[in-house]
Amino acid sequence: MIEDETQPKTSMRKRADAIKPFRCKNLIAVLENPSNMKNIGTVIRNVNALGVEKVYIVDPHGELPDDWQELRGDRAISKRSVSAVKWTFVKRFDSTEACFDHLEANNFESIVTSPHVKGKRNVLLDEGDYTAFTKLAVWFGSEATGISDLAVARSTMCVSIPMFGMVESLNLGTSSGIVLYEVTKQRRAYQSRYRLRDQRGERTEPLPTVMPLA
């Protein structure tokens, strides 16, 4: 949800309640050492628009504040995210290892994204099954150096976006939007049909998977 200062708070709360069923539960986008801090706002905007639950940022240089409330007040990120940072939970970590430790302690599986094969199970984006994980973290690497070897080693698989041009790379904002669209589309369809994992608790009437047009 994007904040509009002209809307009354009651209208914004109504909107927040309306989109709640469409959010993808237990889904986190992780940015590992983003080299261009401006791109963080773009990713947060994507995350919010697509219904991803949280954003984790591995920030070894301490360029972001630890406090979420302070981050929400960052003018540059707020502008780039079109105020989506005010409606999105963001948590920073000092290192990739610390982030993985936190995720694994909370039973999250991780997948990494890369345009190249990374030495373990590799799948094309549209061929992956992202409903197989109860709790899922999707990692995006640095614009300059890509995903780290440590992240690859501790992840379940590597996902790549098929590319057919002379340039085999996309910026962080674009790649995160493409990948998270596919992941959220699958997970939203799954949680629309089933209340529980392993195809248990099938709903008598599926939940809607798209918001009705205004």
Side-chain angles (χ1 to χ4, degrees), residues 163-168:
M163 298 186 197
F164 308 97
M166 295 299 292
V167 177
E168 293 186 293

Side-chain angles (χ1 to χ4, degrees), residues 97-146:
E97 184 176 19
C99 188
F100 267 103
D101 288 346
H102 175 83
L103 288 167
E104 291 169 2
N106 287 278
N107 300 313
F108 275 83
E109 294 276 352
S110 288
I111 62 175
V112 297
T113 60
S114 172
H116 305 291
V117 172
K118 287 293 184 179
K120 59 165 39 188
R121 181 187 171 198
N122 287 260
V123 298
L124 295 177
L125 175 63
D126 58 330
E127 295 177 356
D129 178 6
Y130 309 107
T131 68
F133 312 97
T134 302
K135 296 183 175 183
L136 178 63
V138 184
W139 285 66
F140 298 92
S142 164
E143 302 93 323
T145 59

Side-chain angles (χ1 to χ4, degrees), residues 28-37 39-44 47 54-66 68 71 77 85 88-96 98-100 102-103 138-140 172:
I28 299 173
V30 184
L31 310 184
E32 185 189 33
N33 193 18
S35 55
N36 186 343
M37 286 293 162
N39 285 337
I40 293 174
T42 303
V43 176
I44 291 173
V47 161
K54 298 177 181 178
V55 178
Y56 286 178
I57 303 174
V58 177
D59 172 32
H61 304 296
E63 296 188 48
L64 298 173
D66 282 312
W68 179 44
L71 178 63
I77 292 177
V85 68
T88 306
F89 179 84
V90 181
K91 182 177 178 65
R92 72 167 295 278
F93 293 85
D94 290 327
S95 67
T96 297
C99 188
F100 267 103
H102 175 83
L103 288 167
V138 184
W139 285 66
F140 298 92
L172 183 58

